[in-house]
Amino acid sequence: MIRKLLNGDIDRVADIWLKTNLKAHYFISNQYWKSNYELVKEMMSQSEVYVFEADKIIQGFVGLNDEYIEGIFVSDEMQSCGIGKLLLDYVKDKKVSLRLNVYQKNARAISFYQREGFIAEKKGCKNRNSQPERIYGLAVSAE
């Protein structure tokens, strides 16, 4: 089931955020993610976040800022089970278009977003980690 984030969900969601970033972004210092943990928890409580819950356990979530996807995160044990696609499809139904940034070294995420119809719009952007990102966009058809 997908639903809006509740205040009581924040610790579980933040833990998924941290563990997923540590694993997927091996090319960025672990300390960067750990030092931003509390800030992210605070931001989540003020953001548009939807969680995927199964058997009363949150297994993934998507964070949005208008039409920008801040990220889709799925617990390690549930990755490659279709949860990321379910979350993405859910937000596709809510938005006219979507965009996001992906680290160029995160090949798994790039493959996922391209498979879901996102098209690279720009490349070579640098972020505060000095890691190049690529910007992807998707026009969501109104059906």
Side-chain angles (χ1 to χ4, degrees), residues 12 52 54 58-60 74-84:
R12 170 66 178 164
F52 176 88
I58 294 171
Q59 299 293 358
V74 176
S75 63
D76 191 38
E77 61 275 6
M78 297 302 290
Q79 289 186 4
S80 298
C81 294
I83 294 171

Side-chain angles (χ1 to χ4, degrees), residues 3-70:
R3 62 170 174 78
K4 280 194 94 137
L5 175 81
L6 303 173
N7 281 338
D9 300 332
I10 290 177
D11 286 339
R12 170 66 178 164
V13 168
D15 287 345
I16 292 171
W17 174 87
L18 179 61
K19 289 174 184 170
T20 303
N21 276 314
L22 291 172
K23 181 179 177 183
H25 304 122
Y26 60 89
F27 45 87
I28 295 173
S29 160
N30 286 355
Q31 187 54 40
Y32 172 79
W33 303 111
K34 291 175 182 177
S35 68
N36 281 289
Y37 181 80
E38 290 302 324
L39 175 64
V40 166
K41 282 174 68 171
E42 185 178 317
M43 292 171 60
M44 282 182 193
S45 67
Q46 303 164 17
S47 300
E48 184 179 2
V49 178
Y50 299 97
V51 300
F52 176 88
E53 186 179 59
D55 298 323
K56 298 185 181 180
I57 299 171
I58 294 171
Q59 299 293 358
F61 72 97
V62 57
L64 296 167
N65 183 351
D66 292 322
E67 294 181 336
Y68 181 81
I69 296 175
E70 296 286 352

